[in-house]
Amino acid sequence: ETEGLARFAFEFMDECGDAPFFLCLSPQQPHWGLGADGTPRRMAPERFYPQLPEPFAFPANVRAEAVARAPETPASLQGGARNHCAMILALDEMLGAVMDYLDRTGRADNTLLVFTSDHGTQAGAHGSPFWQKKRPYEESLRVPCVARLPGVLEAGATRDALMAPVDFFPTLCGLCGIRSPRSVEGLDLSAAWRGAPATPGQDALFCMNF
């Protein structure tokens, strides 16, 4: 799927020529790759699996108790984690191909490129019995958001502005010098992306069901 999306992206941008464009690519998101019966199900192209060890070692913060309390067997969890990382490799390759295309066609310096996700994965960390996104730890809550726009966004900088998915549309409009439609919810945080202090008075409400 990642390879097909990259080809469609190249075709779309070729058709745009020198005209401005907006393109959103949503590839198959990395998951643990366990079937309904709890056994590993390969979800990435086969060429990525030889790059990963088998059996797959869990990170240091995955305690033995989390493995023992999981409904799946340790072998199934290791296989699922290996599938997850194989899908990340496929996604990394697709992103690299898109970036190479932008460089090759001379679009890299005037194209805003954003890489983000919707949530993290608990993956058995901190002794939690949950292997998905069920607890408010860093592994679940911290979402990647990496942006590149030469001459506008400082390379290698980090920002601490509080941002929600609803803020992406108005923020991208602000970075591109476009007025966001009045009907669009969310905040334009483009100034914070550029390095200005975060918007004062922002609040966060986090609800958890146990």
Side-chain angles (χ1 to χ4, degrees):
E1 182 179 349
T2 52
E3 295 173 347
L5 273 177
R7 288 195 299 270
F8 284 132
F10 303 155
E11 293 174 4
F12 172 80
M13 288 186 282
D14 284 343
E15 292 175 358
C16 289
D18 295 331
F21 65 87
F22 174 82
L23 174 63
C24 179
L25 296 177
S26 182
Q28 172 63 46
Q29 61 272 36
H31 278 83
W32 278 78
L34 293 177
D37 59 353
T39 58
R41 180 166 57 93
R42 294 198 172 194
M43 302 173 68
E46 287 296 321
R47 68 179 182 277
F48 294 109
Y49 288 92
Q51 303 178 40
L52 300 166
E54 189 176 13
F56 193 84
F58 295 118
N61 64 349
V62 177
R63 301 175 185 172
E65 65 184 79
V67 178
R69 294 175 64 185
E72 298 83 13
T73 65
S76 291
L77 290 175
Q78 287 176 328
R82 194 162 176 262
N83 283 335
H84 182 259
C85 288
M87 296 176 73
I88 291 175
L89 288 176
L91 181 58
D92 183 70
E93 180 185 84
M94 187 199 79
L95 179 60
V98 172
M99 295 178 70
D100 288 343
Y101 172 90
L102 294 174
D103 287 331
R104 189 172 63 253
T105 58
R107 292 180 170 91
D109 287 341
N110 65 347
T111 298
L112 172 61
L113 178 68
V114 179
F115 175 82
T116 189
S117 181
D118 55 351
H119 59 76
T121 299
Q122 189 64 33
H126 309 292
S128 168
F130 296 106
W131 289 77
Q132 298 179 358
K133 52 182 187 295
K134 306 295 186 180
R135 293 289 177 91
Y137 287 107
E138 285 290 291
E139 289 81 1
S140 292
L141 291 179
R142 185 170 291 278
V143 176
C145 180
V146 184
R148 184 185 73 170
L149 185 57
V152 177
L153 302 179
E154 179 186 353
T158 59
R159 308 297 185 219
D160 59 0
L162 182 65
M163 184 170 186
V166 72
D167 300 322
F168 271 107
F169 193 153
T171 298
L172 296 180
C173 287
L175 288 170
C176 294
I178 302 171
R179 177 174 295 181
S180 178
R182 293 180 60 186
S183 59
V184 172
E185 298 180 359
L187 298 174
D188 177 3
L189 300 177
S190 58
W193 280 37
R194 291 187 178 98
T199 303
Q202 283 186 276
D203 298 316
L205 173 64
F206 185 82
C207 296
M208 198 72 205
N209 244 345
F210 290 100

